[in-house]
């Protein structure tokens, strides 16, 4: 009877395990819908998941809004950034963040900026250039005179550059959800990187046509040494390969 009593009481007295909340941050030329499959899988595994509607105005502005969001989330947090979203989580500092995860993302050092990292001489291969990359004037309360100059990927180039490894129908849906990004966001120097203090993971996309894989490896070597892996996928690996992307996020969350 004593054995039965002990085995029955022990689980009741055990401390509950709280899984961290996963906050998914999209990058330029996308919105939070790109995380749909990743978020669904994480939720089936018991993780609370939230997405951040990234304004794509600049690292300082966008990370400040993300920090505001994080103050409403109790308990530990894992931040996940794709593409420009990586620059945003790099500039986000919250004591509850226990891990950063970079998915084919920018992980700048202090003073670096997105356009400078995409130096075609040092890291050739990006196809995010005119005429694929086009500009338009948009209403923007954060810009001078309430306007800003935004960049976006033209329809006829979107599939082959941003997500060449998804179906035509999926690419069309992604294009329909595309959000333009302020041109100035690519020129704004980064602040102190959160990856200096927060354990970080990086998943490189070997077939990326936006951020050259060599540049991804370089940034990962600084931000996530010993926690970097790679996948045969295009830039939007979160859409084309949600399984492996989710696995990296879970690995960070379980650590």
């Amino acid at each position: 009877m004593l054995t039965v009593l002990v085995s029955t009481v022990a689980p009741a007295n055990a401390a509950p395990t709280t899984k961290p909340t996963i906050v998914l941050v999209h990058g330029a030329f996308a919105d939070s819908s790109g995380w749909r499959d990743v978020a669904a899988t994480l939720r089936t595994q018991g993780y609370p998941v939230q997405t951040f509607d990234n304004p794509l105005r600049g690292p300082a502005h966008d990370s400040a809004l993300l920090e505001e969001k994080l103050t409403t989330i109790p308990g530990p947090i894992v931040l996940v950034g794709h593409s420009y979203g990586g620059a945003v989580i790099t500039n986000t500092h919250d004591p509850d963040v226990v891990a950063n995860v970079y998915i084919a993302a920018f992980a700048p050092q202090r003073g670096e900026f997105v356009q400078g990292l995409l130096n075609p001489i040092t890291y050739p291969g990006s196809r995010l250039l005119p005429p694929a990359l086009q500009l338009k004037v948009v209403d923007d309360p954060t810009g001078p005179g309430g306007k800003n100059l935004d960049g976006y990927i033209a329809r006829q180039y979107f599939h082959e550059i941003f997500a060449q490894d998804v179906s035509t129908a999926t690419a069309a849906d992604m294009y329909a959800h595309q959000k333009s990004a302020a041109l100035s966001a690519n020129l704004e120097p980064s602040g102190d990187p959160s990856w200096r203090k927060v354990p970080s993971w990086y998943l490189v996309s070997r077939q990326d046509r936006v951020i050259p894989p060599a540049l991804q490896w370089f940034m990962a070597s600084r931000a996530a040494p010993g926690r970097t892996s790679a996948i045969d996928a295009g830039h939007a690996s979160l859409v084309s390969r949600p399984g492996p992307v989710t696995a990296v996020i879970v690995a960070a969350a379980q650590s």
Side-chain angles (χ1 to χ4, degrees), residues 132-234:
L133 180 63
Q134 299 190 9
L135 302 176
K136 63 181 179 180
V137 176
V138 299
D139 293 329
D140 180 3
T142 71
K147 301 288 184 179
N148 219 329
L149 188 62
D150 273 25
Y152 67 98
I153 301 177
R155 180 189 297 272
Q156 62 267 41
Y157 299 98
F158 187 90
H159 191 181
E160 65 173 288
I161 292 177
F162 196 76
Q164 75 272 22
D165 51 349
V166 304
S167 68
T168 301
T170 298
D173 180 68
M174 293 171 66
Y175 177 82
H177 286 90
Q178 178 180 191
K179 291 177 62 176
S180 63
L183 191 62
S184 57
N186 291 335
L187 304 174
E188 181 182 312
S190 181
D192 291 329
S194 60
W195 47 257
R196 285 273 182 214
K197 298 180 179 180
V198 178
S200 298
W201 279 252
Y202 199 113
L203 182 62
V204 174
S205 284
R206 293 195 186 99
Q207 310 302 327
D208 203 312
R209 296 175 180 176
V210 175
I211 306 177
L215 173 57
Q216 293 184 43
W217 283 110
F218 168 69
M219 293 186 290
S221 70
R222 303 179 306 183
R227 301 188 187 96
T228 299
S229 54
I231 187 173
D232 285 323

Side-chain angles (χ1 to χ4, degrees), residues 5-43:
L5 178 62
V6 170
S7 62
T8 302
V9 172
N13 292 339
T17 300
T18 301
K19 290 187 174 183
T21 298
I22 314 296
V23 178
L24 305 171
V25 183
H26 69 81
F29 320 122
D31 69 2
S32 292
S33 66
W35 291 111
R36 187 183 299 116
D37 292 342
V38 171
T41 303
L42 288 169
R43 290 187 177 108

Side-chain angles (χ1 to χ4, degrees), residues 56-193:
L56 309 175
R57 298 299 93 192
H61 174 271
D62 300 341
S63 62
L65 290 182
L66 177 56
E67 286 175 355
E68 288 182 14
K69 179 182 180 70
L70 299 187
T71 62
T72 68
I73 300 175
I77 298 167
V78 174
L79 284 181
V80 185
H82 172 246
S83 194
Y84 165 79
V88 175
I89 69 171
T90 294
N91 284 271
T92 299
H93 302 276
D94 184 285
D96 291 329
V97 175
V98 296
N100 288 331
V101 182
Y102 293 86
I103 306 297
F106 290 100
Q109 177 61 277
R110 179 177 178 83
E112 293 178 342
F113 54 98
V114 168
Q115 198 59 51
L117 287 167
L118 284 173
N119 185 332
I121 297 176
T122 307
Y123 298 106
S126 177
R127 295 174 59 180
L128 191 62
L129 300 165
L133 180 63
Q134 299 190 9
L135 302 176
K136 63 181 179 180
V137 176
V138 299
D139 293 329
D140 180 3
T142 71
K147 301 288 184 179
N148 219 329
L149 188 62
D150 273 25
Y152 67 98
I153 301 177
R155 180 189 297 272
Q156 62 267 41
Y157 299 98
F158 187 90
H159 191 181
E160 65 173 288
I161 292 177
F162 196 76
Q164 75 272 22
D165 51 349
V166 304
S167 68
T168 301
T170 298
D173 180 68
M174 293 171 66
Y175 177 82
H177 286 90
Q178 178 180 191
K179 291 177 62 176
S180 63
L183 191 62
S184 57
N186 291 335
L187 304 174
E188 181 182 312
S190 181
D192 291 329

